[in-house]
Amino acid sequence: QIALTLLIAGSALCALGNVWLFNIAWGIVVGGATGALTMAYGAFVARLWFEHTGTATGVLTAAAVIGQFAFLPGWAWLAGVFGWQAALGGAAGLAVITIAAHALFMTERASGVTSIQARHLDSGERLADVLAVLRAAVRQPTFWIIAAHFAMCGATTNGLMWSSFTPAAVNHGMSTEGASTILLLIGLFNVPGTIAAGWLSDRMSRRALLATVFLLRAATLALLPWLFTDQITPTLIVFGVVFGLFDVATVPPVIALANQVFGNRGPAVFAWINGAHQLGAGAMVAAGGLIQGVTGSFFGLWILAAATCVSAALTVYASRYRPVDVGTNAAAAG
């Protein structure tokens, strides 16, 4: 609830229109709040509630991603009609609804949340303990291998589609609303794709699953430059569907690998690994701007992204992901 309240406050500050205040509010307040509610939070909740975390993390990740994409056409329409502040107001309104839903349904009677936390959480844990786990984890080569291919995952998903797809489509004459519709398709088909990946990560080799997803994502990105037109076409619709199926399907098996290697500390270690995902995304955003600025086109960006996915598929096999001890119960696979 604190994170959601910060989202509301950050959105309000951004809507004031001051450039410096906007950068601080968006970068620090909203960024910190969304960071607290990102995939690492889903990994923690899944580990808390479920013995086998794959399907649970698939559902939670799908919910997060559809929220990011599904509202894009609506936000684009609101911004076009009422100005960009209206989209911020809509997002803040959703946060208010979520706070109310949390108060109604996340009670002890409805969810057993207090009892579950009492059984599984160490209430005496301090910041020093968290940092000790991090220090132990970074000494393990497997930590850096997972971080590397997850950074490449971030580079070829939110670092690519959120920042570059719409301007690339607009460069080909498509409207912003049309591009947002394709992104909506990606968000919708994230749901079956990510849930299926979560279910499979409990039942098959996680390395094979990850490598397959990365290679299929590479194929769709390599084809994308030839699919752009000035309107929504059947081939672009197929792209949205197929890319959506593989867009965030990497997250459940990566979380499962973190649990496999780091045991009960898996969610905490994954939270740090998730930082690599965001760094990879930021690097791809910068690459997109540089490529477009130098060449006047996003063509090279899609080829770079496809090559990055192939590299990620190969990196997946750099470790056997054997369990290690980082200070607590680093035993069972998730």
Side-chain angles (χ1 to χ4, degrees):
Q1 295 202 48
I2 293 173
L4 290 168
T5 302
L6 285 174
L7 281 174
I8 297 168
S11 297
L13 290 172
C14 289
L16 296 177
N18 180 278
V19 173
W20 287 104
L21 184 60
F22 180 95
N23 286 327
I24 293 171
W26 191 260
I28 298 175
V29 181
V30 175
T34 54
L37 293 172
T38 189
M39 293 177 285
Y41 179 72
F44 167 74
V45 170
R47 188 75 176 182
L48 203 61
W49 254 269
F50 301 95
E51 182 179 353
H52 298 289
T53 59
T55 304
T57 53
V59 172
L60 291 168
T61 303
V65 175
I66 195 173
Q68 293 164 3
F69 282 103
F71 293 96
L72 282 175
W75 298 151
W77 178 82
L78 276 175
V81 175
F82 301 105
W84 60 270
Q85 290 95 337
L88 286 175
L94 288 177
V96 171
I97 293 171
T98 306
I99 289 173
H102 187 278
L104 287 172
F105 300 112
M106 288 300 287
T107 62
E108 175 62 18
R109 183 176 180 180
S111 65
V113 61
T114 305
S115 300
I116 291 170
Q117 288 178 340
R119 285 200 305 272
H120 295 283
L121 295 184
D122 181 3
S123 59
E125 188 171 63
R126 301 162 300 169
L127 176 60
D129 299 319
V130 175
L131 295 177
V133 170
L134 174 62
R135 286 194 297 270
V138 298
R139 295 190 186 103
Q140 303 296 330
T142 304
F143 173 91
W144 296 106
I145 291 168
I146 299 175
H149 59 68
F150 208 45
M152 289 184 270
C153 171
T156 54
T157 51
N158 56 338
L160 192 68
M161 289 299 162
W162 295 357
S163 59
S164 298
F165 181 83
T166 296
V170 169
N171 282 357
H172 285 81
M174 185 180 292
S175 67
T176 301
E177 290 80 4
S180 297
T181 301
I182 301 299
L183 292 177
L184 169 61
L185 277 176
I186 292 173
L188 290 175
F189 281 90
N190 258 295
V191 176
T194 310
I195 293 174
W199 185 83
L200 287 170
S201 69
D202 284 333
R203 291 164 175 80
M204 65 175 287
S205 165
R206 290 146 187 177
R207 292 196 301 173
L209 177 60
L210 268 173
T212 300
V213 170
F214 276 126
L215 291 174
L216 290 171
R217 189 190 294 173
T220 58
L221 289 172
L223 289 172
L224 180 58
W226 288 273
L227 304 181
F228 278 120
T229 66
D230 60 354
Q231 57 188 333
I232 297 175
T233 61
T235 53
L236 270 177
I237 290 173
V238 170
F239 168 82
V241 171
V242 174
F243 189 86
L245 291 172
F246 304 121
D247 181 34
V248 194
T250 52
V251 174
V254 167
I255 291 174
L257 285 176
N259 291 339
Q260 177 178 315
V261 175
F262 300 105
N264 289 338
R265 290 296 189 178
V269 175
F270 174 75
W272 297 105
I273 290 171
N274 191 48
H277 186 277
Q278 301 307 98
L279 290 173
M284 190 61 83
V285 171
L290 180 63
I291 289 171
Q292 200 280 334
V294 171
T295 68
S297 167
F298 285 96
F299 179 88
L301 178 64
W302 311 116
I303 304 305
L304 172 64
T308 301
C309 286
V310 174
S311 299
L314 296 174
T315 305
V316 165
Y317 282 94
S319 173
R320 293 186 178 275
Y321 305 99
R322 293 189 176 96
V324 298
D325 186 356
V326 290
T328 63
N329 302 329

